[in-house]
Amino acid sequence: MRTQYCGQLNKSLVGQTVELCGWVNRRRDLGGLIFVDMRDREGIVQVVVDPDMKDVFEVANQLRNEFCIKFTGEVRARPDSQINKDMATGEVEVLATALEIINRSDALPLDSKQNNSEEQRLKYRYLDLRRSEMSNNIKLRAKASSFVRRFLDSNDFLDIETPVLTKATPEGARDYLVPSRVHKGSFYALPQSPQLFKQLLMMSGFDRYYQIVKCFRDEDLRADRQPEFTQIDIETSFMTADQVREVTEKMIREMWLELLNVDLGEFPVMSFAEAIRRFGSDKPDLRNPLELVDVADLVKDVEFKVFSGPANDEKGRVAVLCVPGGAKLSRKQIDEYGKFVSIYGAKGLAWMKVNDKAAGLEGIQSPVAKFLSEDVISGILERTGADSGDIILFGADKANVVSEALGALRLKVGNDLELSDTKAWTPLWVVDFPMFEEDGEGNLHAMHHPFTSPLGVTAKELKENPAAANSNAYDMVINGYEVGGGSVRIHNAEMQETVFEILGIEEKEQQLKFGFLLEALKYGTPPHAGLAFGLDRLAMLLCGTENIRDVIAFPKTTAAACLLTDAPSLANPASLEELAIAVKKAEDKEA
């Protein structure tokens, strides 16, 4: 029906007759001429309707926003005085010779000035996606997917599909379950990732695998999470962790260069312990210059128990953030930051303003200064490099509380005071994660997943001191977002059984859940490692948005609902009966 896209017209086509299909973006009647801004997926072009073309002019008078139309006309150059430099097609326009209204549009349920709530945008997503901003996001995401396929194909990776109806495996979230009609009372699980299948593919000898795959996790949502998400899944045999990082870093660097013309440079490597110590997070945003500074050794002998208690506790931490120019913060603002850190378990936020460093104690303003000696205050000022006009914010509690609270506060203060370089790109690798983490009740859980190999220990050594072990795992972080994570996998049955045992998975349960994997590990399993990227999150960064829903065509809300289709919905009773499922109604709260 068309010969060209609207957004691709340029001066090289002047004098040619074109046929365009799309929508009315805007119609203007200037008392003699009608101007129609016509839009398709590639952009907008101005179409001029002259009253001399009576039949066309009569139809053009009927046009309203979002009418679906077809124009035929001649491309002509705009006079220099009328060139629109804000439009890609601003040097040309089309003089209409024919017009067809393919389909009319009712009055739109969305505000054309974009004063729409996210709920409205999701309910009428097909209209929201017509906006150039959203259309460009989806197109850039498509280019990212295409790049990934080209890169991995050219590096001898094989695109292999894995099952969607499978068995539940522990990935850190609840599974979405699918009832079986044939095997009544039994359920499939939708995969949280293809983890075990990609390992089995390595055992099958395919050496290099990839898949752009849908994954599902039934967990609480936030701006950068969805119940169904897309993963770039990569697995290799006979490659070390360094080699996996090398090839995947190359892929991301070349992606950014091709799609954004941005050179990310070589990615620095940072240990998990250093990331937590300096930034309070295992996915530090390095655009923010603030760092946590430990001062426990300076305050362990003070009488102020709020500081000395955690300073003398092997599981405690006392750290500070020195905020340049922060002395200008009002008491109300500081109190608001105190409420903010309470979200992370902190009991309060002590502070110290350095009004005049040269004046010594007289230049310090702080409710806790009276509990600290001049030597302690001088030591804190020296260690933090604080200067006149700065504020020092204290965290003193269990180490994990201080790290999480000050790590989150670091980001908030950096944004509030515009300290972060929002135009920068700061990628890095975080490595040497702990193998296990405690749940607060003395139980150990795998920090990544139970198929991750420990780093530099035997099965016997791991069993003797599991809490001290690090894993051979690695995460790629860009601007404070974990965009990919992976590890060297366990390829030895004894080690895998040891990890299961440490996690409290009894032998009977091991066989029930992972018997097929333990059996496969007996037959010449090669060493293998992999990494999975979140395509949605990569696309979010590429598009410069902070909401993952902006790069997914038909996303769910934070309540895991689709406002467009009203999913999830009630099932047909006959279907439930066939599945041998009964739905238990919610009990009356007053009962």
Side-chain angles (χ1 to χ4, degrees), residues 269-284 286 289-297 316-322 383-384 393 395 399-400 402-408 410 428 430-432 434:
V269 179
M270 183 181 299
S271 70
F272 171 88
E274 181 183 355
I276 295 297
R277 176 176 58 82
R278 294 174 58 191
F279 307 106
S281 170
D282 61 359
K283 47 181 184 295
L286 301 185
L290 302 181
E291 293 193 20
L292 280 63
V293 178
D294 285 298
V295 295
D297 59 312
R317 184 179 187 187
V318 183
V320 299
L321 275 176
C322 179
R383 184 168 297 180
T384 60
L393 305 173
N400 63 319
V402 171
S403 298
E404 287 185 23
L406 287 188
R410 167 182 174 267
L428 78 153
V430 178
V431 301
D432 297 344

Side-chain angles (χ1 to χ4, degrees), residues 222 277 434 453 519:
R222 59 191 189 206
R277 176 176 58 82
S453 177
E519 179 72 12

Side-chain angles (χ1 to χ4, degrees), residues 40-229:
D40 60 21
R41 79 170 203 186
E42 296 301 321
I44 297 175
V45 70
Q46 177 174 282
V47 180
V48 182
V49 183
D50 192 294
D52 291 341
M53 302 291 295
K54 293 183 179 180
D55 292 343
V56 180
F57 196 83
E58 184 178 336
V59 178
N61 262 322
Q62 304 173 37
L63 297 181
R64 297 293 182 270
N65 285 2
E66 299 308 319
F67 273 33
C68 184
I69 59 174
K70 176 181 178 180
F71 263 121
T72 302
E74 180 184 332
V75 180
R76 66 183 187 183
R78 290 198 197 186
D80 291 345
S81 61
Q82 295 178 18
I83 290 175
N84 187 341
K85 295 182 179 179
D86 295 328
M87 290 175 62
T89 61
E91 291 186 319
V92 298
E93 61 188 12
V94 176
L95 179 62
T97 57
L99 166 60
E100 176 188 351
I101 296 178
I102 298 173
N103 232 327
R104 296 172 182 268
S105 172
D106 288 348
L108 297 179
L110 294 181
D111 181 357
S112 61
K113 295 182 179 179
Q114 308 310 325
N115 296 319
N116 303 299
S117 68
E118 187 169 44
E119 289 73 17
Q120 289 173 300
R121 291 174 54 208
L122 293 178
K123 182 174 178 61
Y124 299 100
R125 189 62 163 182
Y126 45 89
L127 296 178
D128 186 51
L129 288 173
R130 291 183 188 177
R131 292 192 297 124
S132 60
E133 178 186 354
M134 293 301 299
S135 175
N136 289 337
N137 285 352
I138 299 302
K139 287 191 290 185
L140 187 54
R141 177 192 172 108
K143 290 178 180 177
S145 296
S146 175
F147 175 87
V148 167
R149 294 188 187 282
R150 284 185 282 114
F151 179 90
L152 293 174
D153 288 345
S154 67
N155 281 272
D156 299 324
F157 285 82
L158 300 175
D159 182 357
I160 306 176
E161 295 179 350
T162 54
V164 173
L165 296 176
T166 183
K167 193 173 185 177
T169 57
E171 296 282 347
R174 291 178 293 272
D175 291 306
Y176 280 102
L177 300 178
V178 180
S180 170
R181 178 185 60 80
V182 178
H183 305 281
K184 288 183 171 57
S186 295
F187 295 81
Y188 300 102
L190 299 182
Q192 296 186 34
S193 84
Q195 181 61 47
L196 295 184
F197 285 108
K198 63 186 178 184
Q199 290 188 239
L200 291 170
L201 286 169
M202 295 304 100
M203 299 173 196
S204 305
F206 286 104
D207 196 69
R208 293 190 179 197
Y209 140 96
Y210 85 93
Q211 186 180 186
I212 298 180
V213 60
K214 277 287 187 183
C215 302
F216 307 85
R217 295 189 180 187
D218 185 6
E219 59 186 344
D220 295 333
L221 307 182
R222 59 191 189 206
D224 64 336
R225 284 189 178 173
Q226 283 280 294
E228 53 178 315
F229 56 97

Side-chain angles (χ1 to χ4, degrees), residues 294-316:
D294 285 298
V295 295
D297 59 312
L298 300 177
V299 298
K300 64 180 181 179
D301 296 324
V302 302
E303 295 183 4
F304 190 45
K305 297 299 183 184
V306 172
F307 286 177
S308 61
N312 288 283
D313 182 350
E314 63 178 12
K315 293 185 177 181

Side-chain angles (χ1 to χ4, degrees), residues 228-530:
E228 53 178 315
F229 56 97
T230 306
Q231 192 164 285
I232 303 168
D233 210 44
I234 299 171
E235 197 77 7
T236 69
S237 297
F238 306 110
M239 287 180 70
T240 65
D242 287 346
Q243 290 170 325
V244 171
R245 293 207 310 268
E246 180 182 358
V247 70
T248 52
E249 178 180 323
K250 185 173 187 287
M251 183 180 78
I252 297 302
R253 287 178 62 185
E254 291 187 7
M255 179 189 293
W256 250 248
L257 197 59
E258 179 173 311
L259 301 183
L260 298 184
N261 196 28
V262 169
D263 185 355
L264 293 175
E266 291 190 15
F267 294 11
V269 179
M270 183 181 299
S271 70
F272 171 88
E274 181 183 355
I276 295 297
R277 176 176 58 82
R278 294 174 58 191
F279 307 106
S281 170
D282 61 359
K283 47 181 184 295
D285 186 347
L286 301 185
R287 296 173 300 171
N288 184 321
L290 302 181
E291 293 193 20
L292 280 63
V293 178
D294 285 298
V295 295
D297 59 312
L298 300 177
V299 298
K300 64 180 181 179
D301 296 324
V302 302
E303 295 183 4
F304 190 45
K305 297 299 183 184
V306 172
F307 286 177
S308 61
N312 288 283
D313 182 350
E314 63 178 12
K315 293 185 177 181
R317 184 179 187 187
V318 183
V320 299
L321 275 176
C322 179
V323 183
K328 64 186 177 185
L329 292 171
S330 68
R331 183 59 186 269
K332 180 181 178 182
Q333 289 173 302
I334 296 172
D335 289 344
E336 287 175 353
Y337 286 140
K339 292 177 182 177
F340 175 77
V341 296
S342 69
I343 298 171
Y344 301 90
K347 301 179 182 66
L349 183 67
W351 53 273
M352 181 184 295
K353 288 185 177 183
V354 186
N355 294 324
D356 183 359
K357 185 176 181 180
L361 287 179
E362 296 297 322
I364 298 297
Q365 178 188 353
S366 171
V368 300
K370 59 187 176 183
F371 301 112
L372 308 176
S373 68
E374 184 173 0
D375 287 344
V376 169
I377 292 175
S378 296
I380 293 172
L381 295 180
E382 181 180 353
R383 184 168 297 180
T384 60
D387 207 344
S388 298
D390 297 349
I391 190 171
I392 297 171
L393 305 173
F394 291 79
D397 210 308
K398 295 295 183 183
N400 63 319
V401 172
V402 171
S403 298
E404 287 185 23
L406 287 188
L409 182 63
R410 167 182 174 267
L411 297 178
K412 182 169 179 55
V413 171
N415 289 331
D416 290 350
L417 301 186
E418 299 182 345
L419 301 174
S420 300
D421 182 359
T422 56
K423 295 181 180 180
W425 290 102
T426 55
L428 78 153
W429 288 104
V430 178
V431 301
D432 297 344
F433 288 82
M435 184 75 178
F436 305 103
E437 55 186 345
E438 291 188 19
D439 62 1
E441 299 179 0
N443 301 313
L444 293 177
H445 294 278
M447 179 164 274
H448 276 71
H449 54 63
F451 318 109
T452 299
S453 177
L455 185 62
V457 295
T458 64
K460 180 181 178 182
E461 291 168 336
L462 181 67
K463 190 172 183 179
E464 289 173 349
N465 193 4
N470 282 337
S471 64
N472 201 352
Y474 33 84
D475 282 357
M476 182 187 289
V477 178
I478 300 179
N479 289 5
Y481 289 97
E482 177 199 331
V483 297
S487 66
V488 172
R489 323 302 188 186
I490 295 171
H491 65 281
N492 174 277
E494 180 189 6
M495 179 65 80
Q496 188 63 76
E497 289 170 351
T498 299
V499 170
F500 285 153
E501 184 180 337
I502 291 169
L503 295 173
I505 303 174
E506 301 291 340
E507 184 176 349
K508 184 176 180 181
E509 187 180 0
Q510 291 179 31
Q511 291 299 323
L512 180 65
K513 289 185 176 180
F514 311 109
F516 65 95
L517 174 68
L518 294 172
E519 179 72 12
L521 287 170
K522 298 177 182 178
Y523 303 110
T525 298
H528 54 287

